[in-house]
Amino acid sequence: MAPPAATGGEGRPSWTILTNHGHVLLAVAAHPDILVEDLALRVGITRRAALHILKDLEEAGYIHRLKEGRRTHYVVEGSQPFRHPAESHHDVGALLRIFKDDEAASDSDRPSGR
C-alpha cells in the first residue's frame, strides 16, 4: 500500500506534477475567453498571480492576448517548445492534446469563463 501523499493547506497536495504556469496554459487553451477571476479560481491561485503568469506566458510566446471590446481572448501557440532542455524537443501542443478530452469531460463542474 502506498503511503499517503503530503498535503498543503486546505487538504490540497503540497506539490503537483504541473506548475501553476502549466495549469494556466491548459485553462486558457480550454477556455480562450476565460475571465482572469475565473482563471485564478480554476487554478487555485490569486488574481494577481494569474495576471503574472499570463504575462510570463505571453512574453515567452506561449500565448497571445487579443482584445475584443472589454474582453480578452487568449490564443495558445501550441508549436512553442518546452523551455527545459530535457523536454525542448517537444512542443506544448503535445501537452494540450493530452488534457483536451479531460477538460471537455469535466467542464460542467467548473466556471464557464463567460
Side-chain angles (χ1 to χ4, degrees):
M1 185 153 137
T7 58
E10 300 178 20
R12 293 178 57 179
S14 62
W15 64 272
T16 63
I17 296 297
L18 296 178
T19 65
N20 286 340
H21 282 67
H23 288 287
V24 168
L25 185 68
L26 290 171
V28 298
H31 304 281
D33 298 314
I34 194 167
L35 297 171
V36 173
E37 291 79 10
D38 292 336
L39 175 64
L41 184 63
R42 178 181 294 263
V43 175
I45 57 178
T46 65
R47 182 181 187 281
R48 184 176 177 153
L51 287 168
H52 180 78
I53 291 171
L54 288 167
K55 180 182 174 196
D56 286 348
L57 293 172
E58 186 173 30
E59 287 176 353
Y62 289 100
I63 65 170
H64 298 288
R65 297 183 215 204
L66 304 172
K67 290 299 282 182
E68 296 178 348
R70 294 177 48 193
R71 299 293 305 261
T72 301
H73 177 83
Y74 300 95
V75 177
V76 176
E77 297 297 331
S79 62
Q80 282 290 100
F82 283 99
R83 292 169 50 112
H84 193 281
E87 293 90 28
S88 63
H89 60 285
H90 293 287
D91 61 41
V92 298
L95 178 69
L96 299 176
R97 287 187 294 277
I98 290 170
F99 287 94
K100 185 176 182 181
D101 293 334
D102 284 349
E103 277 291 326
S106 64
D107 205 27
S108 62
D109 296 335
R110 297 186 179 167
S112 67
R114 287 204 172 212

